[in-house]
Structure formats: C-alpha cells, structure tokens
Amino acid sequence: MPNNQTTPRIAFTNLLLRDHPDAAAWINGNTKNPKLSGTVKFYHTTYGGVLVETQIFGLPNKEVPGSSNFYAMHIHESGDCSDDFAHTGTHYNPKDAAHPNHAGDMPPLLGSQGYAYSVFYDKRFAITEIIGKAVIIHEKPDDFTSQPSGNAGEKIGCGEIKWFV
C-alpha cells in the first residue's frame, strides 16, 4: 500500500490522539467494588461506524500480582446506574437478535492486575442511538452462548453514555 493512503488504523489512531470523543460513559463501581472506575469513549468515524476506547481501573483482581481475568462489557437499555445498577435493563438489542449478536454486545475486557484497556470498531450502532443508555461491566466473562445475556454474572461497573462536551 502506498504511504500516502490513509488506512482505517491510521484514521483511528488520529482520532484517539485527538482525544475528543463524541460521547463517553464515566464508569463507577458497585458497592462491592467502590474503587472500580474508568471511561468508555465513543468516536464517530468516517467509515460509518464507531470507535470504542475503554480504560478501566480497580477491577477485582487488582490486589493479585500478575493476575489477569476477563470481564464482560455490554451496552444496556437504561442509563440509570442507581441501586447497584438494578435499573439498567437488558442488553441494547434493537434488532431483537440472539446473544451474542445484540448491538450492545461488546468484546470482553482483559483485566491485568486490575487494569484494562481496549479499542475496537463497531458498525452495529450509531452514537445517537446509545445516548442515555449504560455501559455495564460484569464480574465474569461473557460465555457467548447462554441466552439472553451470556451468563456474565453480577454488574460491577456502570456508566451512562452522554454526549461529550
């Protein structure tokens, strides 16, 4: 490929370097995980999809040296993170697809001694469709099989998706 052509990777890197997402969710932990925090940022791309960047601190394995665990991450229908996230509803699923093909099904986070960083590209939703919904982090990995939500366990982190200003 000639050096003068912009690839998606280069375009995505430039979006991340600019660090001005179109929307974001500020994640907080539940009562059992008060130190869990982080951000999930959503960037509109020229490729018709959304670039999602996640940075989470304080995951449950933080105190175990050298540890790593997977954690499910989903977009849920409601951005109401009150009562240890009891009111966030089900996965965002506008096309009534089977799990793991909901628009709200996202790749798992790999936490390494309590920290996780992830970037991925998705064309299953637009940013305008997810404003007011919640990003949820679960205590276990998604098994990508169990219906309706992957047997991911307790909701340990939540943040409402809002326009970034």
Side-chain angles (χ1 to χ4, degrees), residues 138-150:
H138 293 269
E139 69 179 331
K140 299 189 305 188
D142 190 317
D143 68 13
F144 300 109
T145 304
S146 300
Q147 298 299 325
S149 60

Side-chain angles (χ1 to χ4, degrees), residues 1-11 47:
M1 172 175 287
N3 288 336
N4 63 350
Q5 288 188 317
T6 300
T7 66
R9 181 190 66 81
I10 292 169
Y47 298 96

